[in-house]
Amino acid sequence: MRALVLAGPHRAEVQEVPDPVPGPGEVLIGVERAGICGTDVELFTGGLSYLQTGITSYPVRPGHEWCGVVTAVGPDTAPAWLGRRVTGDTMIGCGACPRCRTGRHHVCADRNEVGIRGAIPGALAERLTVPAHTLHQLPASLDPVAGALVEPGGNALRSVRATALTAGERLLILGTGTIGLLCALFARAQGLEVHLRGRDPAQLALARDLGFTEATEGPWDAVIDATNDPTSPSLALDLVEPGRRIVYIGLSDVPSPVDTRELVLKDVTAVGILGASAGLPGAIAAYADGSVDPRPLVGATIALDEVAAALAGNRPATAGPGPKLLVDPAR
């Protein structure tokens, strides 16, 4: 089959690789759509921290935002999965350690992250295999576009929940990329007053079209940092109300300084978000009931052969304002 392979920094190409075969407890997925994420870009550039620490090494087959149809099941796997449209958890723990046993498999020290770290190649390919226990069935009402946006949606929903805000309170979101805009959509669905701050004119225009306003004056009852700007974490601390919360989901290529004296003296709670795991069911439900529609965030759907250029920052000339690029491996 065809799959995108990252051989090293700035070295990406579509290659013919062996067809995956589902093992015990696994399923084979025919990928319908896969998303290109900022993490995939960092894998491409070599900036991902996992590459610096040796957790991940080249070659890498990326892609962790996906949906598809189960086309085969391995031994000891329920045949009822056949033919179902599904997505899956990116974070796959060992299942035996104390973290996994207490619901924290997404931070298991021995975890696989599909297409990022460990032994499970990613979904920027025609097919992939994943453990059946990581699957989430998608309702018939969800098309492949929405299905491929469940994973980033789960991250965004976890971020909004972590603010601990209630309806009517004021949330500031730093960043108008996919995660920032998804956070805005989920926050609005929960009755929060949402404002955004960003730099990209097209993304800011899209935010306005979606009914959101740019940030004016505080107070801000919570701040979500969904940027890759190393100065944003400290800015979030400056802007949040004392005694409230900052949620960090964005990552920069370099360490981000935060003055912990200010964190203490403002009595602020800082929360980090890694992975969508606990947010996947809620994201699926919100997409299915129509309270959140992620599809306007898709700027274009491209072919596998176009992914290398997209990772290098070259968006298709025909792309719309949406920040997210999806991939149709069948093209």
Side-chain angles (χ1 to χ4, degrees):
M1 70 168 186
R2 300 170 73 244
L4 185 78
V5 180
L6 304 180
H10 302 281
R11 295 170 55 200
E13 65 176 4
V14 177
Q15 297 181 3
E16 291 287 337
V17 301
D19 259 320
V21 177
E26 295 182 337
V27 298
L28 178 67
I29 306 293
V31 179
E32 293 183 299
R33 294 289 188 280
I36 298 176
C37 173
T39 301
D40 301 320
V41 175
E42 290 182 333
L43 282 168
F44 172 75
T45 63
L48 187 71
S49 63
Y50 286 170
L51 292 166
Q52 316 307 320
T53 58
I55 291 174
T56 296
S57 60
Y58 297 110
V60 180
R61 284 171 43 192
H64 59 278
E65 304 175 359
W66 60 271
C67 81
V69 174
V70 178
T71 60
V73 299
D76 303 319
T77 307
W81 281 113
L82 284 169
R84 295 184 183 181
R85 175 173 287 144
V86 295
T87 188
D89 197 342
T90 297
M91 319 297 276
I92 303 175
C94 71
C97 71
R99 295 177 190 175
C100 287
R101 294 199 305 270
T102 55
R104 294 177 293 140
H105 69 275
H106 62 295
V107 290
C108 169
D110 296 322
R111 70 184 178 275
N112 287 286
E113 296 182 25
V114 175
I116 301 172
R117 61 177 275 178
I120 302 179
L124 287 169
E126 292 178 317
R127 292 175 285 283
L128 82 157
T129 55
V130 293
H133 71 82
T134 68
L135 297 178
H136 291 262
Q137 184 172 351
L138 299 176
S141 60
L142 291 193
D143 62 17
V145 172
L149 290 164
V150 167
E151 196 278 343
N155 277 283
L157 179 55
R158 285 194 65 215
S159 299
V160 172
R161 287 172 174 170
T163 66
L165 296 183
T166 57
E169 293 189 294
R170 305 185 82 222
L171 170 64
L172 174 63
I173 299 170
L174 303 178
T176 51
T178 300
I179 294 297
L181 291 173
L182 281 170
C183 285
L185 291 169
F186 280 101
R188 182 169 64 189
Q190 295 185 15
L192 305 184
E193 181 184 331
V194 182
H195 299 261
L196 295 107
R197 178 180 291 190
R199 296 177 178 173
D200 186 288
Q203 292 176 4
L204 287 169
L206 175 60
R208 289 191 292 271
D209 289 343
L210 293 171
F212 298 107
T213 60
E214 294 178 54
T216 53
E217 295 296 323
W220 306 112
D221 299 311
V223 178
I224 295 175
D225 176 16
T227 76
N228 59 5
D229 183 346
T231 68
S232 283
S234 60
L235 175 63
L237 182 54
D238 290 341
L239 295 174
V240 72
E241 274 286 283
R244 305 308 293 263
R245 290 189 170 210
I246 303 168
V247 178
Y248 294 119
I249 187 168
L251 289 172
S252 66
D253 286 350
V254 296
S256 304
V258 172
D259 188 345
T260 57
R261 295 171 299 180
E262 187 175 0
L263 190 76
V264 171
L265 293 172
K266 290 184 73 171
D267 195 26
V268 166
T269 299
V271 182
I273 297 295
L274 175 68
S277 302
L280 295 172
I284 293 170
Y287 292 176
D289 68 21
S291 58
V292 173
D293 182 3
R295 292 171 296 178
L297 275 57
V298 177
T301 300
I302 63 177
L304 269 178
D305 291 328
E306 300 174 271
V307 174
L311 292 173
N314 300 311
R315 284 172 63 88
T318 57
K324 175 61 67 177
L325 296 180
L326 295 184
V327 179
D328 178 356
R331 284 193 177 185

